[in-house]
Amino acid sequence: MHFKSRRNLIQSGALIACLPSLAFSQPNSPEFGSTIPWSQVKLLNDEVLKSSQLKGQVLVIYFWASWCPFCAQQSPEIEKLFVKHQSKGLYVLGVSVDKDLSAAKIYLQKNRYNFPSTWLDPQLQSELKKPTGVPVVMVYDKSGLLVQYEKGQMFAEDVQALSRWI
């Protein structure tokens, strides 16, 4: 109970501190109920992922960067979510916003992350809008509709709670 109260205080304080920036970031935020905005992406392992392959699965899109300290804390939780629930119908797609493709590949390899990732190149950016900051998590339900959008670092238990959409 004490932890929950502290968390609410932190979230309230963070929200108040971010109000000016939230006002400017809303145009880049996707609309709830919108569909997966791309038809296919090239993964960093050179495989191609088609959105049609994800029918009936929950899709978690995780925007991250190798230089982001908040991503460094959240990425291990995303990896745990992926490993624990991939066989149950949850697909995680990491999207690196790094300017340098090699930095993204090195980061994943160094940290032994296995969740599939792509790089937000100019072509993909025309379909999947770059967020104003990272980390960002978007969740699409089994019917392919956006049901959750989280901007900023999530608590470990909140990342694990994304499995509720399965």
Side-chain angles (χ1 to χ4, degrees):
M1 187 73 155
H2 174 71
F3 180 71
K4 186 86 168 161
S5 299
R6 185 177 65 85
R7 173 199 260 166
N8 290 340
L9 280 172
I10 291 170
Q11 288 175 332
S12 300
L15 179 61
I16 291 168
C18 293
L19 279 176
S21 65
L22 286 174
F24 293 108
S25 66
Q26 291 306 316
N28 285 346
S29 300
E31 290 187 33
F32 288 98
S34 60
T35 57
I36 298 170
W38 45 268
S39 57
Q40 67 179 30
V41 295
K42 184 178 177 186
L43 300 177
L44 294 180
N45 65 2
D46 291 327
E47 292 179 16
V48 173
L49 173 67
K50 296 180 180 180
S51 59
S52 60
Q53 292 173 258
L54 302 172
K55 287 188 189 236
Q57 294 188 58
V58 171
L59 170 63
V60 175
I61 298 179
Y62 170 52
F63 288 91
W64 60 272
S66 63
W67 46 261
C68 169
F70 305 108
C71 300
Q73 292 180 9
Q74 187 166 311
S75 292
E77 297 305 321
I78 294 291
E79 176 71 11
K80 288 177 194 172
L81 177 76
F82 170 68
V83 169
K84 185 173 182 180
H85 298 288
Q86 67 176 331
S87 65
K88 299 172 188 167
L90 185 135
Y91 190 93
V92 171
L93 175 64
V95 180
S96 169
V97 299
D98 282 291
K99 291 182 181 179
D100 180 13
L101 174 59
S102 63
K105 288 182 176 182
I106 290 168
Y107 178 81
L108 288 173
Q109 194 173 41
K110 176 182 158 195
N111 291 290
R112 296 189 172 112
Y113 295 137
N114 295 305
F115 56 85
S117 284
T118 188
W119 181 58
L120 195 60
D121 63 14
Q123 181 182 352
L124 181 57
Q125 195 166 340
S126 68
E127 296 177 329
L128 188 60
K129 302 299 180 216
K130 181 180 179 181
T132 55
V134 286
V136 167
V137 170
M138 300 165 58
V139 181
Y140 291 85
D141 67 11
K142 292 179 181 182
S143 60
L145 300 176
L146 181 67
V147 292
Q148 189 171 348
Y149 180 83
E150 300 289 337
K151 187 172 182 176
Q153 184 181 349
M154 297 171 67
F155 288 98
E157 60 271 18
D158 296 328
V159 171
Q160 297 312 309
L162 297 175
S163 66
R164 75 179 179 277
W165 296 106
I166 299 174

